[in-house]
Amino acid sequence: MIDELERLFHPSSMAVVGASTKKTWNWSSGNSWIVGSIKMGFRGAIYPVHPSAQNVLGFRVYRSVLDIPGEVDLAVFTIPSAAVLDTVRQCVQKRVKFIHLMTAGFAETGLEQLARTETELVEIARSGGARIIGPNCMGVYCPSGGLSWSDEFPVKPGPVGFLSQSGQMAYRTIRMGRRVGVRFSKVISFGNACDLKAHQFLSHIGRDQDTRVIGAYLEGLKDGREFLRAVRETVPHKPLVVWKGGQTEGGSRAALSHTSAIAGSRKIWDAFCAQMGIVQVCSLEEMIFALRTLQIQPPPAGANVALLGGAGGGSVTTTDFAEQEGVSVPQLSDATVAGFAEFVPVHGTSVKNPLDIMPYIQKKKNLFRVMELLRDETNIDALIWTLVPTWVYRDRGPTGVSAYLGAALECRERLQKPLFFVLESDEDDRLESVRTDAMKWLSQHGAAVFPEFRLAARVLRKMKQYGEHLRKPG
């Protein structure tokens, strides 16, 4: 089944059961699949299915799946739950390979009768060799396969795979990822997972040659042993970043009503992640920036960092933040401190770490010397550098900002260690666009950029833990 899933992500034909004659549509309409896949450049046949319409978005419409003349690899359902059983029977008769049930109203309701209906759906589908995605999910986004449930997603693929029990989380991850340079190879929203489950998607994406990093949003696992096996196969070769929903009593209750998932013990989950080398995150923002950073640079050898860019109390508070996040800010060696003394005066500065030296590294040669000293410092594994491009803009204008950012990029090669840029707001709303443009530019040029310091420190620590897992014997 793992290899057969490639046909799900790259189908040669698609039936959209629930296509609408309305000129407008929303996320729950079959038309969103048609428009989204047209934008992605879907090369196969698209067959809208509607009981009475003649034409939908320029495509000929069929009254039922059985009326479609060609083979159907994927059938997308956006129809009422009462009509699903009969339509699945038609799909089995038609020899449809995959059935995606966007339709909700089954086991997640908590009603025994509807849970039995969900089980019956699986039995009917399997009797004809069809497999079900869902119900209660958004399904597949795969740019290379020309599939998308939305025309708002990027057409250009990337190296990140993502699996999600929640359609909303899948949608938000794709949208937020686009803003910071995370692009996706394959995304699957699988909802209740009545048939195809998380471990099967993880195994498939883990073997996908176009995927280098994998993210997941999970609420509960219906086959923990198989998921464990899939993680063991995947993590040594590709980092796996997971956000686990339902870790509180209330969240667990919400997960049960959302996707019929039993969330389980947080302590057990934490231990599982630590043992298996999963990069565990607790927010969408952490997810996105962890995926982005793992995509572009290797984990640091340790969690000893140099801090550059603070001044006075800012240096003190960022050091506190770093160590509260589990990142160490060690004192630099005498040799490194002596190297700084060559161009940094003693008074009004600090060169022991954190580095309060910003006025003295405006010259490129001094800035590059800082990187060389930190490169040779055996007690430092990475650098977190807080940039404030708005200050540069006030003094030197747009040209000065461009030169400043260009020099910052050159520092990566001279440092030869992981470099985390932080571009926090300086609370001047009039110049906020300068900061956001700088973040976008650095991101486009392959830098690890963060909107605030604590997030950078947290992601660095999690990357360090993943690196430690990879270095464990066996």
Side-chain angles (χ1 to χ4, degrees), residues 360-376:
Y360 306 99
I361 57 173
Q362 301 306 307
K363 295 181 180 179
K364 251 190 178 185
K365 68 174 185 177
N366 289 349
L367 178 60
F368 291 163
R369 181 61 179 146
V370 170
M371 299 302 143
E372 292 164 357
L373 289 167
L374 295 177
R375 176 196 64 200
D376 298 335

Side-chain angles (χ1 to χ4, degrees), residues 302-321:
N304 289 338
V305 300
L307 304 183
L308 175 63
S315 294
V316 175
T317 54
T318 53
T319 302
D320 284 343
F321 290 156

Side-chain angles (χ1 to χ4, degrees), residues 22 53 197 309 383:
K22 296 179 180 179
K197 296 176 174 57
L383 170 64

Side-chain angles (χ1 to χ4, degrees), residues 291-302:
L291 290 173
R292 169 64 179 166
T293 310
L294 285 162
Q295 174 186 331
I296 60 178
Q297 66 184 20

